Amino acid sequence: DTGVSQDPRHKITKRGQNVTFRCDPISEHNRLYWYRQTLGQGPEFLTYFQNEAQLEKSRLLSDRFSAERPKGSFSTLEIQRTEQGDSAMYLCASSLPGTGLSEAFFGQGTRLTVV
Amino acid sequence: GQNIDQPTEMTATEGAIVQINCTYQTSGFNGLFWYQQHAGEAPTFLSYNVLDGLEEKGRFSSFLSRSKGYSYLLLKELQMKDSASYLCAVRNFNKFYFGSGTKLNVKP
């Protein structure tokens, strides 16, 4: 396993278009997270899955954002009707269950630019 | 809410020691993590504290005081490749909350 992978690495889209990103976590990790990061800021929590169940979604996340993890493996994050404010790096991370040392491993991210 | 504070930027000299502080106020606590992030890259895990005290890992050490809501990351024998952002993160049950990161500039 080579770690968490995300696709695409870069996406440029016109305002109003829909975009979808994919994340493949480390295979034995049942927890999967989506974060958004803008320049000079730390990652901001968006949503979290345990297996296929989406357990929490940030209150900051508008209804234009939706995430799925249909078989408890890969996940997709869709943004509908993109806005310029959606431009950011979207990071996916996965971790093992438990509250001990189960750090989050991050993918390389998808950089979204909305023009 | 969750509040995690770090200095925005620090500068240090190659070969020196630098300490990056982090203070936090969170509704729950299941561990404090430090990540390194080079520009344009993903964060990578550096260290983890769940109990009070110092954890040493090569050139990197991390300290935690839960009663004070305080942690620091200590980097020794600084190298130019240590120039990066350092993120402090608190895990609250199943979620990780990050500070804004401290950009460390290492100068020759």
Side-chain angles (χ1 to χ4, degrees):
Chain A
D1 196 349
T2 56
V4 180
S5 63
Q6 293 186 244
D7 183 70
R9 293 290 307 276
H10 302 274
K11 178 71 177 179
I12 300 174
T13 191
K14 291 184 178 179
R15 189 175 52 188
Q17 298 294 303
N18 299 345
V19 294
T20 300
F21 310 141
R22 177 179 171 125
C23 171
D24 287 89
I26 294 172
S27 57
E28 63 268 27
H29 288 184
N30 72 341
R31 291 181 180 168
L32 187 146
Y33 308 84
W34 285 99
Y35 285 84
R36 175 172 61 193
Q37 187 175 27
T38 53
L39 196 63
Q41 299 297 312
E44 174 191 23
F45 172 78
L46 294 179
T47 190
Y48 149 66
F49 290 85
Q50 182 155 308
N51 299 311
E52 65 275 9
Q54 186 175 17
L55 296 187
E56 191 161 346
K57 186 175 173 180
S58 169
R59 284 170 289 181
L60 301 174
L61 210 59
S62 81
D63 292 340
R64 297 183 297 104
F65 287 72
S66 63
E68 293 183 340
R69 195 182 182 196
K71 297 182 181 178
S73 56
F74 74 92
S75 175
T76 57
L77 177 69
E78 181 183 17
I79 309 174
Q80 296 181 328
R81 305 181 303 281
T82 52
E83 302 172 356
Q84 286 189 321
D86 297 331
S87 295
M89 175 75 86
Y90 290 84
L91 293 165
C92 175
S94 68
S95 74
L96 289 167
T99 53
L101 175 53
S102 46
E103 70 271 27
F105 291 83
F106 283 85
Q108 294 295 311
T110 295
R111 181 168 296 284
L112 173 66
T113 303
V114 182
V115 297
Chain B
Q2 324 296 330
N3 194 32
I4 301 171
D5 288 317
Q6 308 177 230
T8 303
E9 193 164 358
M10 299 180 71
T11 300
T13 305
E14 191 176 15
I17 299 173
V18 71
Q19 178 175 312
I20 302 174
N21 296 325
C22 171
T23 57
Y24 64 91
Q25 289 179 305
T26 56
S27 56
F29 181 85
N30 296 107
L32 190 134
F33 296 75
W34 284 94
Y35 283 82
Q36 180 190 60
Q37 187 176 27
H38 285 99
E41 297 184 8
T44 54
F45 169 73
L46 286 178
S47 70
Y48 163 74
N49 296 73
V50 67
L51 299 176
D52 291 353
L54 189 67
E55 292 286 338
E56 297 189 78
K57 201 174 179 182
R59 294 191 300 115
F60 297 88
S61 302
S62 57
F63 171 83
L64 175 66
S65 169
R66 288 171 296 169
S67 62
K68 295 181 179 178
Y70 169 69
S71 174
Y72 67 72
L73 179 70
L74 195 69
L75 292 80
K76 304 174 188 174
E77 301 168 13
L78 280 173
Q79 302 174 9
M80 297 301 293
K81 67 179 182 179
D82 296 329
S83 292
S85 286
Y86 291 85
L87 301 166
C88 172
V90 172
R91 185 171 62 202
N92 182 357
F93 292 100
N94 300 319
K95 291 180 295 186
F96 294 81
Y97 293 95
F98 287 83
S100 295
T102 299
K103 184 179 179 185
L104 175 65
N105 302 302
V106 179
K107 297 195 170 180

